[in-house]
Amino acid sequence: MKNFTFAALFLAAAMSASAQYTVEDPGIDAVLLGLDAESGYTFDCFICNNYTLSQAQSKGYTVHDYRLNDVTSHWWWWSGWAEWNNDGYPDVDFSDEPGYVAQTTAPTEGWSGGGMALDAGGGYDFSHMTADTHMHVAFRTTNISSAALIVFDGFETPAKLSLGEAFNDNGTYFPVLADFDASGEWVGCDITFTNLKKLYPGFSVPTQTDWTGNVLSLLTGAVAGKTIAIDGFYCYTPTNAGVADLVADKDNEISVVGNQVIAAGAKSIEVYNLAGQLVQSAAADMLTLDQNNGVYIVKAGSQVKKIIR
């Protein structure tokens, strides 16, 4: 099993200049550690391993297993894809079960693609999803600079996004969701539907009780031999936070003024170094930072901020 660093759990703090929502560690352990302990969550799992499901279930969360079953959920290879190929690389959680999708383009036409289709009657209930739902997806490649990721193409207007450089779809460039450097390492993205809609304004939140369509699809252009892998594709929705809790959570936004760390309405503030050690805390919504110069992670409720002294 992978040796996770504490810093990796802070999804919002792990940003790059060109890809706002890229996370350092896309494994399920990092995601679970970053969740609000006072809220319940519903996980809708589409492409992931048994470890992801069991870890979410162990926290008492509701988990829907919507993974590929070749009965009501299928992965379809469209024009130009080679066969399914997990290529022997460990999955996103470095477990022993190769549960991800990895494919190589061998286009005979002018494009190539594939997608995960959910059929009618499969009981794919998205009625609990809201603007606060998070979409999580991990991907890896060694030889692609750009790919298109299209999500929730069914009843609603899907979001059409780019991985890597902006994907050119016949002269239309999709906004960049997350970047990668083709190093072969797993890269993850974790984004709320609210921010997904800001990135692609036409996107509409799926809320159907019997959803059908392509929940995820990929386009990679027409260059033969290009491989991309997808894993850790699931959504999670806070389910039992009251209105007051949600308002308070929004009020917990962290700001730093001089050596004062402020998170209005927060019950506590915690400061960690990059080794994952708690170096300072306060049972209040304000803290006077007394650390040496360096990089720190501040957490207040479910809000996270990386600060540099």
Side-chain angles (χ1 to χ4, degrees):
M1 181 58 62
K2 190 176 182 181
N3 182 20
F4 294 98
T5 61
F6 187 83
L9 70 90
F10 295 111
L11 303 177
M15 298 180 179
S16 70
S18 60
Q20 278 188 306
Y21 305 103
T22 303
V23 301
E24 290 180 357
D25 191 331
I28 184 63
D29 295 288
V31 172
L32 294 175
L33 284 170
L35 296 185
D36 179 4
E38 297 181 359
S39 293
Y41 290 87
T42 295
F43 277 73
D44 299 291
C45 299
F46 304 106
I47 299 174
C48 62
N49 58 28
N50 291 330
Y51 181 79
T52 295
L53 270 71
S54 63
Q55 287 298 94
Q57 290 170 333
S58 71
K59 300 294 183 180
Y61 300 143
T62 300
V63 177
H64 297 148
D65 187 353
Y66 291 159
R67 293 179 295 177
L68 296 165
N69 58 31
D70 291 328
V71 178
T72 59
S73 61
H74 314 265
W75 186 274
W76 297 115
W77 293 275
W78 303 330
S79 294
W81 281 102
E83 294 182 358
W84 179 304
N85 173 24
N86 281 344
D87 72 8
Y89 193 84
D91 63 22
V92 72
D93 287 306
F94 279 66
S95 76
D96 295 328
E97 39 174 326
Y100 61 84
V101 174
Q103 298 174 121
T104 301
T105 60
T108 56
E109 302 179 28
W111 63 281
S112 60
M116 181 178 179
L118 306 182
D119 298 343
Y124 302 106
D125 185 354
F126 296 166
S127 60
H128 56 277
M129 290 187 175
T130 69
D132 293 321
T133 297
H134 284 243
M135 182 187 77
H136 184 279
V137 63
F139 41 91
R140 64 176 293 268
T141 184
T142 58
N143 58 13
I144 286 180
S145 61
S146 179
L149 178 71
I150 302 173
V151 291
F152 297 101
D153 189 359
F155 290 92
E156 314 80 18
T157 303
K160 299 180 179 181
L161 308 159
S162 298
L163 302 177
E165 300 169 1
F167 187 83
N168 183 356
D169 181 32
N170 295 319
T172 298
Y173 289 86
F174 299 157
V176 176
L177 173 68
D179 202 359
F180 49 65
D181 59 8
S183 66
E185 296 293 330
W186 285 107
V187 177
C189 179
D190 195 284
I191 183 172
T192 63
F193 281 176
T194 293
N195 286 329
L196 192 59
K197 189 172 179 64
K198 290 178 182 177
L199 199 61
Y200 195 90
F203 173 70
S204 53
V205 175
T207 56
Q208 280 68 32
T209 56
D210 191 10
W211 198 92
T212 63
N214 293 320
V215 69
L216 175 148
S217 55
L218 291 166
L219 302 175
T220 55
V223 180
K226 299 297 184 179
T227 299
I228 188 167
I230 294 289
D231 196 6
F233 176 49
Y234 50 84
C235 294
Y236 56 97
T237 306
T239 56
N240 67 356
V243 174
D245 293 331
L246 291 175
V247 171
D249 186 59
K250 295 180 186 299
D251 288 343
N252 290 348
E253 184 173 355
I254 299 166
S255 61
V256 180
V257 180
N259 64 345
Q260 297 295 312
V261 179
I262 305 165
K267 297 178 181 179
S268 65
I269 298 175
E270 298 172 337
V271 181
Y272 297 85
N273 61 23
L274 290 185
Q277 299 168 321
L278 178 66
V279 296
Q280 196 173 344
S281 64
D285 61 0
M286 182 179 294
L287 176 147
T288 300
L289 195 63
D290 59 4
Q291 302 301 309
N292 296 329
N293 291 342
V295 180
Y296 298 91
I297 303 296
V298 178
K299 188 174 188 295
S302 62
Q303 301 295 315
V304 176
K305 189 180 185 68
K306 180 167 66 176
I307 63 174
I308 301 175
R309 292 273 289 167

